[in-house]
Amino acid sequence: MAAIRKTDWQKLPVSLTELCINTTLRCGQSFRWRKSEDDEWSCALHGRILSLRQDSKYLYYRAIFPTASSPLPIPPPSNAPSTTESVAQDEDDTLALVKHYFNLKPNLAELYNQWASADANFKKRAPKFTGVRILQQDAWEALLSFICSSNNNIPRISQMVHNLCLHYGPLIGHIGSTPYHDFPSPEALTSPTVEQHLMKLGFGYRARYIYKTAVMVAKEKGLDWLESLNNPENPPPGVEPKPAGEPVEDGREGYRNAHEQLLALHGVGPKVADCVCLMGLGWSESVPVDTHVWQIAQRDYKFGKGKHSSLTRATYDAVANRFRSLWGKEAGWAHSVLFTADLKAFSERLVAKAEVKEEEQSVKSEADGVEEVESIVRTKTVTKKRVKRALEKDEHHVLEVKEKVVKRNKRRKT
């Protein structure tokens, strides 16, 4: 086992309103974070294992660096680099990585207020889902992760991405007995054996897409090409931001160009391209429209009738344009808050309880000119879970009725 170097826990002042990692890391943006029983999140990221904890005032972070070369697991063979570079103590850039990865520069409370003032539906649903930030991930990781997302759910996508790293990514280190592998390079996935091996791992038709896309990026286009599609307003640390133009309803030129070029890759349709643009290339106006978002558009934004009765490409664009007209150049960010609110994994936050008191009076006895009246208060505790999608049949309405005698009143007949 390779030797490792751990940094001390550091803390960064950030409120749960500005960042909630328990929501952001579970809402279908990144698929490699693991949560321990003591609420610690960890992921191999840019040559280190990054671990996170959070309370109401601080985000705590720690890095674990390898101090020796870590060989890739064998088999299967690949052309991936077999070592990772160690990071010197005085070159620790973990704070800059955390700030960039979690996109901490924008004031999220102000953005939520802006989106809520423009949209009554956002104002209604967002308060229970504060602190959702759009991650600024590596574009290559976002590309392959969202190719895996086609016709898939978050647990299965996470398993596929985990297998990609386990079998083709460089080993960074361990936490306890658990190995952490960084994301594989394009070159690591260009061996002719890759497609068949991914099929055996359960990738299905996505195995061919991943292999062919890796070959295109590694041998034809290059990672420089992919990185050139980044929004210049959101560059990596150390690079000066540049303007990307004023927002327009169908998206700025740089976004449209990035989206169009991504469509040339295997396994990339409009939704996958928009996910990569939003979560890998920094184009926050990008609005991925999958079946969940389509259902939100029908339920809350009056789509689903007339020329937009089904999710065609024209309807896809119309939904995205509608959200951009509502929320501006951060439309993809605002849409992700609503997407998160619609996920089954967070349904417990949507439970609403209400008590309704109904007073009934009935004559119980009459003696000596005294009429005894018993007041019964029936307290109905109604627990409602919003049924968000037809497939979620386990979500239902629950009605619990409790009755109790509250008091006995007496009044004299006249």
Side-chain angles (χ1 to χ4, degrees):
M1 183 184 299
I4 60 173
R5 175 175 62 83
K6 293 183 180 180
T7 64
D8 294 329
W9 283 100
Q10 306 293 323
K11 64 181 182 180
L12 181 64
V14 57
S15 69
L16 290 168
T17 302
E18 288 298 308
L19 170 64
C20 177
I21 60 174
N22 281 329
T23 305
T24 300
L25 299 180
R26 293 171 56 207
C27 68
Q29 295 191 61
S30 177
F31 304 95
R32 295 199 292 127
W33 288 89
R34 304 180 197 174
K35 187 180 182 182
S36 67
E37 292 182 356
D38 58 353
D39 289 338
E40 185 175 308
W41 290 89
S42 297
C43 179
L45 206 62
H46 295 281
R48 78 208 74 195
I49 302 173
L50 179 62
S51 295
L52 305 169
R53 297 199 309 253
Q54 189 173 27
D55 61 25
S56 60
K57 294 182 179 179
Y58 295 99
L59 177 69
Y60 301 87
Y61 65 92
R62 180 180 68 181
I64 301 175
F65 293 101
T67 57
S69 299
S70 304
L72 283 170
I74 300 175
S78 75
N79 297 327
S82 59
T83 62
T84 57
E85 296 181 1
S86 61
V87 180
Q89 182 103 19
D90 58 356
E91 295 176 351
D92 185 0
D93 60 348
T94 303
L95 176 58
L97 171 62
V98 168
K99 289 182 175 180
H100 177 75
Y101 185 83
F102 285 103
N103 200 5
L104 291 180
K105 188 174 180 180
N107 184 306
L108 190 53
E110 290 181 0
L111 287 176
Y112 268 55
N113 288 336
Q114 173 187 318
W115 300 329
S117 65
D119 178 14
N121 183 58
F122 186 93
K123 184 176 182 179
K124 174 184 176 182
R125 303 195 185 279
K128 293 183 180 179
F129 296 89
T130 58
V132 177
R133 300 195 83 93
I134 292 297
L135 302 176
Q136 296 191 129
Q137 301 178 79
D138 178 78
W140 170 246
E141 177 178 342
L143 174 59
L144 288 204
S145 296
F146 288 107
I147 288 177
C148 291
S149 76
S150 177
N151 297 313
N152 217 340
N153 57 52
I154 292 175
R156 283 197 68 219
I157 302 165
S158 299
Q159 186 60 44
M160 288 179 181
V161 174
H162 171 73
N163 278 330
L164 271 180
C165 297
L166 179 65
H167 292 277
Y168 295 97
L171 177 65
I172 302 301
H174 292 71
I175 297 180
S177 60
T178 304
Y180 281 81
H181 296 255
D182 215 332
F183 202 80
S185 66
E187 291 77 13
L189 298 166
T190 58
S191 167
T193 63
V194 166
E195 181 182 345
Q196 191 61 35
H197 183 244
L198 293 180
M199 289 286 290
K200 291 179 180 178
L201 292 174
F203 281 68
Y205 63 86
R206 303 168 195 86
R208 176 178 291 269
Y209 293 154
I210 289 170
Y211 167 67
K212 288 195 168 185
T213 292
V215 170
M216 286 184 70
V217 173
K219 298 184 178 182
E220 299 174 26
K221 294 178 176 293
L223 276 178
D224 288 344
W225 160 79
L226 186 59
E227 292 166 0
S228 73
L229 304 179
N230 269 301
N231 182 351
E233 292 177 340
N234 300 306
V239 178
E240 193 70 24
K242 298 178 181 178
E246 292 299 315
V248 293
E249 186 181 82
D250 58 347
R252 290 170 291 181
E253 182 180 355
Y255 154 68
R256 295 197 307 271
N257 174 61
H259 189 273
E260 190 65 28
Q261 291 202 48
L262 290 170
L263 292 176
L265 299 173
H266 294 277
V268 179
K271 191 269 289 190
V272 170
D274 271 322
C275 287
V276 178
C277 284
L278 177 62
M279 289 167 269
L281 297 172
W283 293 102
S284 56
E285 68 227 70
S286 176
V287 180
V289 182
D290 63 1
T291 54
H292 299 162
V293 176
W294 171 231
Q295 288 167 6
I296 293 170
Q298 293 175 87
R299 185 188 66 219
D300 301 329
Y301 295 93
K302 299 182 180 179
F303 281 86
K305 298 179 181 179
K307 65 180 181 178
H308 297 311
S309 60
S310 60
L311 186 53
T312 63
R313 180 57 196 268
T315 303
Y316 183 107
D317 292 339
V319 170
N321 288 342
R322 168 68 171 141
F323 288 162
R324 278 188 283 267
S325 68
L326 271 177
W327 302 319
K329 70 176 184 177
E330 290 92 8
W333 195 333
H335 126 285
S336 293
V337 177
L338 297 187
F339 175 87
T340 302
D342 210 57
L343 286 176
K344 183 179 177 182
F346 298 105
S347 59
E348 75 279 356
R349 300 190 193 178
L350 299 172
V351 175
K353 293 184 178 180
E355 288 192 347
V356 180
K357 293 184 178 180
E358 300 175 348
E359 182 169 299
E360 298 180 357
Q361 289 189 337
S362 59
V363 176
K364 302 299 292 182
S365 65
E366 182 175 335
D368 299 325
V370 175
E371 183 179 271
E372 183 179 81
V373 179
E374 182 180 63
S375 293
I376 301 175
V377 176
R378 303 181 187 275
T379 303
K380 295 181 179 179
T381 303
V382 183
T383 303
K384 295 181 180 180
K385 288 186 177 182
R386 178 166 55 85
V387 179
K388 301 182 290 301
R389 295 184 288 279
L391 294 178
E392 296 175 10
K393 295 181 180 178
D394 58 317
E395 296 193 352
H396 53 276
H397 293 266
V398 178
L399 177 64
E400 180 186 2
V401 178
K402 298 179 181 177
E403 295 187 1
K404 58 182 178 180
V405 175
V406 176
K407 61 181 179 178
R408 299 173 65 87
N409 294 330
K410 292 183 178 180
R411 68 170 179 260
R412 183 172 298 278
K413 286 183 63 178
T414 56

